[in-house]
Each structure stands twice: as structure tokens, then as C-alpha cells.
Amino acid sequence: GVRGDGGDGKAAGATGGEKPGTASAAAPTGGSGAGAQRLSWHGCDAPSTAQGGTGKAPEPLADGTRWECSTLKVPLDYAKPSGPTIDLALIRAKARKGASRAGSLVFNFGGPGGSGVATLPGFAGDYEALRARYDLVSFDPRGVGASAGVRCLGDKEIDASNAVDATPDDDDELKAALAANKAYVDACRKNSGKVLGHVDTTSAARDLDVLRQALGDEKLHYFGISYGTELGGVYAHLFPERVGHTVLDAVVDPTQDPLQGDLNQAKGFQRALEDYMRDCAENVTGCPVGGGPEEGTKRITALLKKIDSAPLPTRDGRKLTQDQAVNGIASALYSKETWQYLTRGLQEAMSLGSGNYLQLLSDSLSGRDRDGHYSNLQAANRAITCADARQRYDANDVQAWLARFRAASPVFGESSAWSLLNCAGWPVEGRWKTPEVRAAGSAPILVVGNTGDPATPYEGAGRMARELGEGVGVEVTYKGEGHGAYNSGNGCMTRTVNAYLLDSKVPENGKTCS
């Protein structure tokens, strides 16, 4: 379904298990003083294929600052702090020379399953102003990239699995889809069984606290985007007294179970698609969606129906399936800057009957490079989602809800509904029904929602702010398009977040930028 670093269909929830603030960072480190691990930093190699690397080591920043890499040891299982450990991959760019340094600012870019080591250098320009106070730090969370990355199928097997119709219309297609799902789950169990039970978000939040200590910070300064907001919320719940400056941007709704999350994500993508269609109708000559949302939705659903019965040819010999076409459309909605590629993709599919553009867009969402190698984004996404969420859905559940999903989005509904099967037969149980993020006693946390966000619909930000608690969650709204707000280029948003991170100026709750 529509996942990828819009995984974020990842709604998850409350165990009621641990009391806020009682979690001890049982780690091979002591408290935040002499017992903390010493990190040894060195030059960075090129990120691996599993991390989504392009074969190049990260370029130094504009002022010549070089990227440094390291690893952090954490317990595989926090219930057995002196048992086996895993290494988490880290990357940093130090604060500018002469900076009045506040500490490190740790980034998680979402997914779940995105490699921070591969991602941070590409976006460093967006965060350059923050080097006035902070070292910029990111990491591959457990199960991701170079941090005990989950492995399931090989590249060719993933291509074959992706060619199976993921939105079955009859019994034969359903059998094939269920068989493909089972083969995927079996491969994950066989290749990564040891880590699958330990890639949950609670364990990742404990890792953040071990990282905080190793960086020498009394409090964790944190910038979480997309799924990174869920991780940040869970951290704040476990360690409220250790929360430093924290920004949650493109917020996962912590109150929703996976079914509600997927249904609302389908609505979010439909809403963003309709915004794109209005813009296209007004500004593009020969716009492939005609006069706007109503006509456009009809044209796109007709195209998808056609692709369902006859997948489109592409240059590399693969066929563009209906599910990949939907993913390609979704991928282009993550940023207003990529709307132009959606226009080209739809024009190519509708008038030439080929799927090159939509396939490239789909590949970018699923972590496939031009040589046909996949990062571990999708494997990690599924493993983390299923380690968190306790709910397990079957084909009957999907069929019972299908009409609701189609009504929510004629374009994305079906894909979103069938993606609920991702955790069917998963070898480990999930931890919660929805994540617990209450953080009484925490410092104020900036919760940033974008009204046009496709992957993490805007309403989730208000709910996160409320769940964090009175005086903790401070909601800021951006009236715009795309996934996330800080790097949208909106001046008001940049100034608001920078004033908070650099000068500790907490904005008024409910502030709006447009």
C-alpha cells in the first residue's frame, strides 16, 4: 500500500505498560556522566545499498566541515541489559566554529525504516542555520540500514513480489496476494528472526537515551519528522525529565490504530491529490487531469483500472502494476516541487501507454535504485510497524472495510486497505494498540502540522499536542502542501522553529504560518 517514508500509515498505541518517567536506560552505559560510552568518530564511507546510498561518501559542508561517523553499542533486548548487543550507525556534522554550542540535535527522518546516516547529508543545507548552536547528528535506528538492518527478500525476489497484484479482485488474485505476503514474512523470519522482536519503537526510544548520554548531553535535543514524531513522543513519555528542545514535524497521530491510520492516510493522499489537480487545471497547458478534482479523479481511476488488467511497459522490462502506479502518484505528492513529475507521469501513461515516470516515482518511494538494488527501507518499515502494533488483520477485515476505504479515496483507498495485511502471520507480537506519548513534566515540545500533508494528515498534529499534555505540546500550523513544514521554504515557519531551537523562544500555542 501507500507506505515508504510515508510509512506513517504506521499508527500504533498505548500499552499502559510503563509509567511515565520510570524507564531506566538499562544499557551498557551508566548515567549521563563518567559511565557513558565513549564514541570514536572518524571519516565516513559511502552509505551502503541497504542504507539507500548512491556509492558516494557525503560531501563536506559549504564551510568545509567534514562529516564524521561512529557506532553506538546498545542491548539487543533491554530486558537483558547485559545480553547480546547491536551497533547503531551514527553520523554528525559539528557545530560551526565559534558557535555557542547547546549540544547535539538528533534527527530522525521517518519511515519507519529511513537511514539517517544516508539522509542527513542530503538535507544538511536545510538545517545549516541550526549549526549556530548544535552538532547535527543522525543515526540508523535499530533494524534499519547499517544498524542490524532487517533483511527479507533479495532484489529479484522483491521485483517478483511487487509484480503480484496487491489489490485482488477475485479468488485467484487473493490467493496469489496471500501467498506473496506469506513468502515475504517467511523470508523475514528466516533472514532476520533474531532481531524482529526487538525493532519496536520503545526500544528505539531507549536507544535515543543511550545516544544522549554518549553525546554528553544532559537533555536530548531532537528533531523528528514523520514516523520520527512517534519516536519522539514515545521518548518524551519514557523520559520526560530528559526532554530538551524537541520539534515534531509531519506528525503521526498517536490516537489511531493501524486501520484508522491507514484510512486517514488514504484521505490525506486524496486531499493532496485534489490540491495538485486544482493547481494543474489552473496552471498547466494540456493538464492530464482535465478541469480539476472531479474530472481528474475519474480519469485517474479509469487509468488505474486499465493498468490493473494490462500493466504498462517500461524501459527496463518491468511492467508498471496498478499498485506501483498508485505508489508513484503518492510519491509525487510528498512535495509541491515533484508535482511536475506527476504531471509528466500521468501524461505519459494516458497518452503513450507507458509507465516510465510513474515507475521511477514508485521506485523512489520503495527504496529501489536505478541498478535494481533495494535499500532495506520496506523490510524495516514492515518489521518496525509489526513489532509495534498488536492488531493483526486478515482478508475478511479488509473486505469488510473496503467500501469505506474506497469512499475515503477512489485513488488510494484500495491500496491502503490491502496494506493492512502486511502484519498477517508476522512471527512476533506487537507491543501496543496505540503508542503512549503522555509526557507530564516534559519541557515544551513544538508540534508542527501542515494542512496539505498527504502522508501524516494535519489532524494528527493537534491530537499529538493534546496527548503530550497541558503545557507540553505546543501546536504550530503551516497552511501549505507536501510532507512536513520546516523544509518547505516558508519563512514564517523557518523563523518560528529556529527561534525556538536557537533562542528558546516558545511560540504561542496555535500559531499559524501560511
Side-chain angles (χ1 to χ4, degrees):
V2 183
R3 284 203 139 109
D5 171 54
D8 311 324
K10 185 172 174 359
T15 50
E18 304 185 71
K19 291 190 184 70
T22 56
S24 65
T29 67
S32 58
Q37 251 175 92
R38 299 193 76 133
L39 296 171
S40 96
W41 295 93
H42 50 79
C44 296
D45 297 328
S48 68
T49 305
Q51 291 171 297
T54 55
K56 292 190 185 115
E59 299 281 334
L61 294 167
D63 66 356
T65 301
R66 295 187 175 278
W67 291 96
E68 301 175 320
C69 287
S70 187
T71 51
L72 176 76
K73 270 204 187 322
V74 294
L76 173 66
D77 182 353
Y78 276 95
K80 299 175 185 158
S82 46
T85 60
I86 55 176
D87 288 340
L88 304 187
L90 311 177
I91 191 166
R92 78 170 176 192
K94 289 173 100 164
R96 285 204 287 275
K97 283 194 176 72
S100 62
R101 195 175 161 281
S104 295
L105 183 62
V106 178
F107 289 81
N108 179 290
F109 294 96
S115 160
V117 172
T119 305
L120 180 60
F123 286 100
D126 293 350
Y127 306 109
E128 177 56 36
L130 304 176
R131 288 180 59 230
R133 299 294 309 276
Y134 300 97
D135 298 344
L136 306 185
V137 176
S138 194
F139 64 110
D140 289 359
R142 50 176 58 221
V144 175
S147 300
V150 173
R151 288 184 318 109
C152 298
L153 300 174
D155 296 334
K156 291 273 190 296
E157 294 167 314
I158 299 174
D159 279 347
S161 181
N162 286 345
V164 175
D165 193 332
T167 52
D169 304 307
D170 58 40
D171 285 350
D172 287 347
E173 286 186 357
L174 179 59
K175 268 191 201 122
L178 293 174
N181 193 59
K182 183 178 184 307
Y184 193 98
V185 172
D186 289 346
C188 297
R189 183 194 287 117
K190 181 175 166 229
N191 295 322
S192 293
K194 283 197 182 84
V195 299
L196 293 182
H198 306 290
V199 296
D200 57 287
T201 297
T202 302
S203 298
R206 291 172 176 284
D207 294 342
L208 275 178
D209 206 57
V210 180
L211 176 58
R212 171 193 66 76
Q213 296 170 58
L215 292 168
D217 288 346
E218 208 165 296
K219 303 209 163 184
L220 176 75
H221 304 298
Y222 178 78
F223 201 128
I225 298 150
S226 202
Y227 159 77
T229 63
E230 180 172 289
L231 177 58
V234 170
Y235 180 87
H237 170 70
L238 293 177
F239 306 105
E241 72 293 351
R242 297 180 202 162
V243 170
H245 291 82
T246 295
V247 176
L248 307 180
D249 185 5
V251 185
V252 174
D253 188 332
T255 67
Q256 296 186 328
D257 65 24
L259 193 147
Q260 296 162 325
D262 275 14
L263 186 61
N264 272 350
Q265 196 183 49
K267 281 182 194 160
F269 274 103
Q270 184 69 31
R271 187 160 62 189
L273 180 64
E274 288 174 6
D275 289 349
Y276 153 78
M277 293 194 276
R278 275 185 208 96
D279 183 84
C280 182
E282 277 171 37
N283 300 311
V284 178
T285 315
C287 169
V289 294
E294 204 174 322
E295 188 184 348
T297 297
K298 281 188 188 134
R299 286 190 186 188
I300 291 174
T301 48
L303 173 70
L304 293 172
K305 212 174 172 142
K306 210 160 132 188
I307 296 174
D308 191 28
S309 50
L312 299 183
T314 67
R315 272 184 219 113
D316 75 358
R318 286 178 297 153
K319 293 273 208 289
L320 179 82
T321 64
Q322 180 189 23
D323 206 49
Q324 287 165 330
V326 170
N327 274 339
I329 295 167
S331 174
L333 296 173
Y334 276 80
S335 164
K336 200 168 179 177
E337 287 169 15
T338 48
W339 284 6
Q340 56 181 322
Y341 303 118
L342 179 52
T343 298
R344 285 186 208 168
L346 291 172
Q347 282 168 335
E348 183 197 26
M350 288 171 179
S351 52
L352 302 175
S354 52
N356 296 303
Y357 265 105
L358 289 176
Q359 189 182 59
L360 278 172
L361 287 165
S362 176
D363 286 348
S364 77
L365 197 64
S366 58
R368 186 188 196 272
D369 68 21
R370 285 172 187 250
D371 299 324
H373 301 307
Y374 286 86
S375 73
N376 96 312
L377 172 68
Q378 292 291 334
N381 184 293
R382 191 182 295 208
I384 295 165
T385 301
C386 303
D388 280 347
R390 201 175 283 163
Q391 297 84 346
R392 298 291 180 255
Y393 302 98
D394 62 20
N396 292 334
D397 296 320
V398 175
Q399 276 153 342
W401 280 82
L402 209 45
R404 292 274 295 277
F405 273 82
R406 284 188 185 126
S409 170
V411 175
F412 303 102
E414 217 165 285
S415 265
S416 287
W418 285 107
S419 73
L420 288 168
L421 294 182
N422 278 350
C423 296
W426 197 252
V428 300
E429 279 183 23
R431 297 283 181 108
W432 60 38
K433 290 194 171 144
T434 56
E436 182 53 79
V437 299
R438 262 182 337 217
S442 161
I445 293 173
L446 232 57
V447 182
V448 181
N450 177 350
T451 55
D453 197 313
T456 49
Y458 168 66
E459 295 75 13
R463 293 192 191 120
M464 174 68 88
R466 282 195 294 281
E467 290 290 309
L468 286 167
E470 190 70 38
V472 178
V474 178
E475 191 183 2
V476 180
T477 294
Y478 169 51
K479 290 187 170 170
E481 298 298 337
H483 187 39
Y486 181 76
N487 60 1
S488 65
N490 176 270
C492 161
M493 188 48 74
T494 309
R495 287 190 298 276
T496 302
V497 174
N498 288 1
Y500 164 75
L501 287 173
L502 300 173
D503 306 316
S504 303
K505 287 185 179 151
V506 179
E508 204 177 318
N509 188 28
K511 175 168 181 162
T512 298
C513 291
S514 54

